[in-house]
Amino acid sequence: MDDAGAANLTSFAECGGTLAVGFHSGAVDDNCHVRLGGYPGGFRETLGVRTDELFPLLPGETRQLTGQVPQDATATLWSERIRLTSAEAIASYADGPLAGVPAVTRNAHGTGTAWYLATRPDPATLGVLLARIRDEAGVRPVLATAPDGIEAVRRSGTDADYLFLIDHSGAGGELPAHGVELLTGKSVHGSVTVPARGVAVVRETR
């Protein structure tokens, strides 16, 4: 990442945004030169941590996680020895050579928040962490009733809103909507059908 990109993300957090950063981020610049002073490179101050040693994990090797994560939380692929400078530890390694060292951190930066994931949590734990990050940022789904696998996005125009529904699951579904489904031209009163592996676009008149 170049300096301008790192500064842009840092400014986003300073101005009230929520930034979530994964391992390897910011370690090198746009010319692949390693930034000096310790990892995570261009985000050290923003994240409130400093890494002095990297501990890649072997294929199939896992580490238990403890803290504000599910009881059976594990991590794979990567770990690193970090020191907190201003961040708080959300989760730490429970075993291995880094037992007790933070693995997931949260830092107040400016008026915003910066999270650092210094390892790869298992999918369920990652889902829990991302849900917490989303909730604390005040992000709410466009359609709370949308089933897993259906993406819902609403775009606002000058005289109407447009609801885009995309099925990634292969199951399709019925979702609440009112307006005109633009791909078929049919009026929608109460719900619209999203076909399996298909798309529906509803123009919602204000």
Side-chain angles (χ1 to χ4, degrees), residues 70-94:
Q71 187 174 3
D72 57 350
T74 60
T76 60
L77 185 65
W78 191 258
S79 63
E80 52 191 66
R81 186 170 62 199
I82 65 176
R83 175 173 56 87
L84 303 180
T85 56
S86 59
E88 62 174 316
I90 299 299
S92 300
Y93 303 104

Side-chain angles (χ1 to χ4, degrees), residues 7-150:
N8 184 46
L9 291 175
T10 294
S11 176
F12 172 73
E14 287 175 345
C15 295
T18 297
L19 177 65
V21 176
F23 56 88
H24 294 320
S25 300
V28 299
D29 64 18
D30 48 326
N31 293 310
C32 285
H33 294 156
V34 175
R35 287 188 168 92
L36 302 179
Y39 296 99
F43 297 116
R44 283 192 308 270
E45 304 305 319
T46 307
L47 298 173
V49 300
R50 185 178 298 271
T51 294
D52 61 14
E53 189 69 42
L54 309 177
F55 287 76
L57 300 179
L58 295 172
E61 190 177 12
T62 63
R63 293 287 181 262
Q64 296 293 127
L65 296 177
T66 185
Q68 300 172 42
V69 289
Q71 187 174 3
D72 57 350
T74 60
T76 60
L77 185 65
W78 191 258
S79 63
E80 52 191 66
R81 186 170 62 199
I82 65 176
R83 175 173 56 87
L84 303 180
T85 56
S86 59
E88 62 174 316
I90 299 299
S92 300
Y93 303 104
D95 58 3
L98 299 182
V101 173
V104 179
T105 63
R106 180 182 185 275
N107 188 48
H109 186 72
T111 57
T113 306
W115 291 72
Y116 185 47
L117 278 68
T119 189
R120 186 173 73 178
D122 65 82
T125 301
L126 180 60
V128 169
L129 288 168
L130 292 178
R132 175 177 173 178
I133 294 169
R134 178 200 65 205
D135 291 345
E136 289 189 9
V139 176
R140 300 291 178 264
V142 170
L143 294 177
T145 57
D148 289 344
I150 294 186

